[in-house]
Amino acid sequence: MKILMVLTSHDKLGNTGEKTGFWLEEFAAPYYVFKDAGVTITVASPLGGQPPLDPKSDDPSSQTAATLRFKADTAAQAVLATTLTLNDIAADDFDAVFYPGGHGPLWDLAEDASSIALIETMLAAGKPVAAVCHAPAVLRHPKGADGNSVVNGKKVTGFTNTEEEAVGLTKVVPFLVEDMLAANGGVYSKVADWQPYVITDGLLVTGQNPASSEPAAHALMALLA
């Protein structure tokens, strides 16, 4: 089984002068779910190479068993440092795709033509697409064969407006994930802030926040079983 993980290459948090990128837990936890299941993992990003890590996800308060395992895993660090360029990826080579979050995807992956085409091709081929936290932003533009958004009529979740407000970035981000999913016809739902919540509807798996990253990976594996 082959799973593609797609990470952001964007490192600027709007006009704040602060850095952003991908959220470490949202990469590390799914990575080990897949690896421990014997999956062949390929990691890609729009620019290739080492993707930017959101520095806040490296805080001691944000560490989990998976992030600590990653920090001790030189092989996994080498995989992360040498991501392939998304433009060079062929959907035919993979059984599923998983998008970790962090704020970065709101700027690059949400608008990336290669990512949009990848998602449309995967879904059209009956292959699942999973995205967690801010990464459901990648579902902003892909459309199904009917010309509607791929989330139209689908049960979905993603980083909530209240979670964005809690981290003080409501006015910084280019759009709010919750509002975008609802505007595209998604049947959006959520639980209390920061609690794990994952929804599977057809081929789409979405998770609400960092705590949802590991359960989202297990939900994706269940679709592939």
Side-chain angles (χ1 to χ4, degrees), residues 64-147:
T64 64
T67 64
L68 294 173
R69 181 177 171 186
F70 176 78
K71 288 173 181 293
D73 186 344
T74 53
Q77 291 166 25
V79 169
L80 184 66
T82 55
T83 69
L84 301 180
T85 305
L86 187 55
N87 198 31
D88 295 333
I89 293 295
D92 291 350
D93 295 339
F94 301 97
D95 299 302
V97 60
F98 188 100
Y99 285 84
H103 281 87
L106 294 172
W107 280 274
D108 64 350
L109 289 172
E111 310 299 328
D112 186 277
S114 295
S115 178
I116 293 164
L118 172 70
I119 292 167
E120 290 177 346
T121 303
M122 294 291 284
L123 293 174
K127 297 176 179 180
V129 173
V132 69
C133 198
H134 284 91
V138 303
L139 303 174
R140 187 182 194 190
H141 296 302
K143 292 182 167 43
D146 60 2

Side-chain angles (χ1 to χ4, degrees), residues 47 127 138 176 213:
L47 299 180
K127 297 176 179 180
V138 303
L176 295 169
S213 55

Side-chain angles (χ1 to χ4, degrees), residues 7-11 45-48 51-52 83 104 108-109:
L7 292 167
T8 182
S9 294
H10 185 88
D11 70 351
S45 61
L47 299 180
T83 69
D108 64 350
L109 289 172

Side-chain angles (χ1 to χ4, degrees), residues 4 7 22 26 46 77 90 111 117 124 151 158 172 180 194 204:
L4 175 67
L7 292 167
F22 74 95
E26 296 170 30
Q77 291 166 25
E111 310 299 328
V151 304
V172 173
M180 178 277 292
W194 316 117
L204 286 180

